[in-house]
Amino acid sequence: MATRQSMNDLLERCNQVINYAEQQYETASRQEHYNTNEYSDAQMQLEEIYNDLHTMDHSANQQQREELHRMRLLVEQMQNQLTLGLH
């Protein structure tokens, strides 16, 4: 079973990555192609955190899995927004 602290740490990192990706998306919508490195970095961070969520799922209990699933949906939504966005 995943520890409460490891779950909290992962979910906090997820929120940070999602916030960073949102910032890069907003910047890209204003500057178009001028922040391609940061935009790509946000996409990579989202992919990495998605993989971390998947890994944590293997050692989580049912309640934790539900929480991880909800966070994965948020990450996927942000990934889709960036992919379908301006770049």
Side-chain angles (χ1 to χ4, degrees):
M1 180 169 84
T3 65
R4 183 177 307 199
Q5 185 62 45
S6 63
M7 281 289 295
N8 289 341
D9 290 348
L10 179 59
L11 296 176
E12 177 62 31
R13 282 189 14 241
C14 287
N15 287 323
Q16 291 172 351
V17 168
I18 289 170
N19 288 336
Y20 176 70
E22 287 172 345
Q23 291 171 355
Q24 295 312 312
Y25 182 80
E26 290 174 18
T27 301
S29 68
R30 282 183 261 124
Q31 296 180 352
E32 296 189 15
H33 58 79
Y34 294 109
N35 73 328
T36 55
N37 290 338
E38 293 86 358
Y39 198 88
S40 295
D41 182 51
Q43 288 176 311
M44 288 191 52
Q45 285 186 33
L46 285 168
E47 184 65 28
E48 289 171 6
I49 204 71
Y50 183 87
N51 291 336
D52 290 346
L53 286 165
H54 182 70
T55 301
M56 179 70 78
D57 190 65
H58 294 295
S59 61
N61 63 31
Q62 185 60 37
Q63 180 182 358
Q64 292 169 330
R65 279 191 186 105
E66 290 173 15
E67 196 170 359
L68 292 169
H69 177 69
R70 287 191 298 274
M71 186 57 75
R72 265 196 317 271
L73 291 175
L74 291 173
V75 170
E76 286 175 350
Q77 182 180 19
M78 194 67 233
Q79 285 177 311
N80 290 337
Q81 190 173 354
L82 289 178
T83 300
L84 299 173
L86 304 169
H87 288 75

